[in-house]
Amino acid sequence: NQCLLKVADHAAKQEEYKEAIAIYEKVAASQLNNNLTKYSCKDYYFKALLCQFAVSARKDDIEPVDAASEKYKDLLPAFENARECKLIDGLIAAWKEDDVDAFTEALFKYDQITKLDNFQSSILLEVKKALKGEGVQAGGDDGEGSGDDVDMT
């Protein structure tokens, strides 16, 4: 599973989000029935949701993120109370309201307690730009990499 997770992380960094989502979901599914490993699933679901957000932002369609979030809550009920899930729920609500300030505030509050890593920040920056109407890529609906570098400034 560790090798698969590295492949998923690499795929996500290359903006091959759909491939990354499939791998994160596969690893989580293999660990759900083990009491020692099932709580790691929240991390895999969080990464999968971030990737789904990037794909959905390019399409300007948040429903797949909402549906995936509900699916993960059903598979792992503890996920619903996780900070990561609450962040995603807040980001979904901000997107539905087209509220960049609420999106930013949700990220700020999360980051005050749990720092976002570079991987998470770069995906969320891409999503935020799409919400603001900047950087939504035409034809970018397949989850494949665009080759564009993300400017974190």
Side-chain angles (χ1 to χ4, degrees):
N1 281 344
Q2 291 303 316
C3 289
L4 282 174
L5 291 170
K6 287 184 182 192
V7 170
D9 290 344
H10 181 71
K13 288 176 185 169
Q14 298 301 313
E15 297 184 20
E16 295 173 11
Y17 297 121
K18 288 186 177 184
E19 180 182 341
I21 292 165
I23 295 169
Y24 290 132
E25 287 181 345
K26 179 180 179 179
V27 172
S30 74
Q31 295 187 359
L32 273 175
N33 294 323
N34 182 329
N35 286 334
L36 296 175
T37 60
K38 74 178 177 183
Y39 292 101
S40 297
C41 294
K42 76 173 178 69
D43 297 325
Y44 311 142
Y45 288 150
F46 182 55
K47 287 183 176 185
L49 285 167
L50 291 176
C51 292
Q52 185 61 60
F53 229 127
V55 171
S56 294
R58 290 176 177 176
K59 295 179 182 181
D60 194 24
D61 178 14
I62 202 64
E63 292 310 313
V65 181
D66 210 0
S69 178
E70 291 304 315
K71 174 179 141 184
Y72 300 156
K73 289 174 192 175
D74 289 342
L75 291 169
L76 182 67
F79 184 61
E80 188 166 4
N81 295 318
R83 294 190 73 250
E84 294 83 356
C85 184
K86 291 180 182 191
L87 171 63
I88 294 293
D89 288 346
L91 298 178
I92 290 170
W95 186 280
K96 286 180 176 180
E97 296 296 318
D98 203 25
D99 188 342
V100 176
D101 292 334
F103 190 94
T104 303
E105 182 67 20
L107 289 174
F108 178 76
K109 285 181 180 177
Y110 180 86
D111 196 53
Q112 291 297 305
I113 297 171
T114 306
K115 293 292 180 196
L116 293 164
D117 63 25
N118 288 340
F119 165 76
Q120 296 162 343
S121 295
S122 65
I123 290 177
L124 290 166
L125 180 61
E126 179 180 336
V127 172
K128 182 178 175 183
K129 284 182 178 181
L131 178 60
K132 289 169 62 175
E134 307 169 2
V136 175
Q137 300 162 358
D141 62 348
D142 61 355
E144 298 298 321
S146 65
D148 295 342
D149 290 329
V150 176
D151 181 9
M152 296 299 286
T153 57

